[in-house]
Amino acid sequence: LFKQLEVEQKLKEAIKNLEKLAEDQKKLAEQSEEKNSDSKDLQQKQRDLNKQFDELSKELKDVEKKNSELEFPEELSNTDKEQQDIKEDMQQSEQQLEQNQKKGASKKQKSASEKMEQMAQKMQQQQQEQEMEQLEEDMNAQRALLENLIRFSFDQETLMQDLKTMDINNPQYLK
């Protein structure tokens, strides 16, 4: 149970980091469109974002690994292709900034930002679906417990009624 909570928490953190990274990438794309922006500065910022995305990819791999170690692993969608697409866009953006092609870099940055947002949204939706499934299972378990409790309560009442009318010397009384 603790490991499952840890996986869920790390997944939430990864989604939050991905959303922040998408926002930062979008801001960098807007800066790249500006005429008087410094290419070297933009290039450095893009490199930093690339490193952050690499760290995020490692976090996601770690989450997948921990999830697979669980007794009942959650279904995590495979985001390798999306991660690869985003990584390519970010690298192409950095290369275009090296060549001082700010417009092309801005397009790639926007593309990477949108893909990050989509990936975060997909992961968030999947997590919400799993939470709903867990909630439904919990409700069904509670319903079963209550039904059993009510049935045992009625059985106990019936037994008490039978014992009131039974003679002490009756062999059934000892059972």
Side-chain angles (χ1 to χ4, degrees), residues 109-138:
Q109 288 166 338
K110 283 182 182 173
S111 170
S113 171
E114 288 170 9
K115 288 177 184 175
M116 280 185 228
E117 287 172 353
Q118 289 172 356
M119 185 174 143
Q121 209 170 29
K122 178 181 171 184
M123 291 167 67
Q124 183 104 38
Q125 184 178 5
Q126 184 181 23
Q127 194 170 33
Q128 286 175 342
E129 287 172 6
Q130 288 173 349
E131 286 174 2
M132 290 298 289
E133 284 176 25
Q134 185 64 46
L135 190 63
E136 192 174 330
E137 284 178 28
D138 291 349

Side-chain angles (χ1 to χ4, degrees), residues 149-164:
L149 186 63
I150 290 170
R151 186 169 42 86
F152 285 132
S153 177
F154 282 132
D155 289 350
Q156 187 179 21
E157 282 182 31
T158 305
L159 183 61
M160 294 298 288
Q161 290 298 330
D162 290 346
L163 282 176
K164 278 184 185 177

Side-chain angles (χ1 to χ4, degrees), residues 42-51 94 98:
L42 294 173
Q43 196 177 339
Q44 184 56 44
K45 286 180 180 175
Q46 184 62 54
R47 249 187 235 119
D48 291 343
L49 288 177
N50 289 1
K51 285 180 188 171
E94 186 179 340
E98 282 176 20

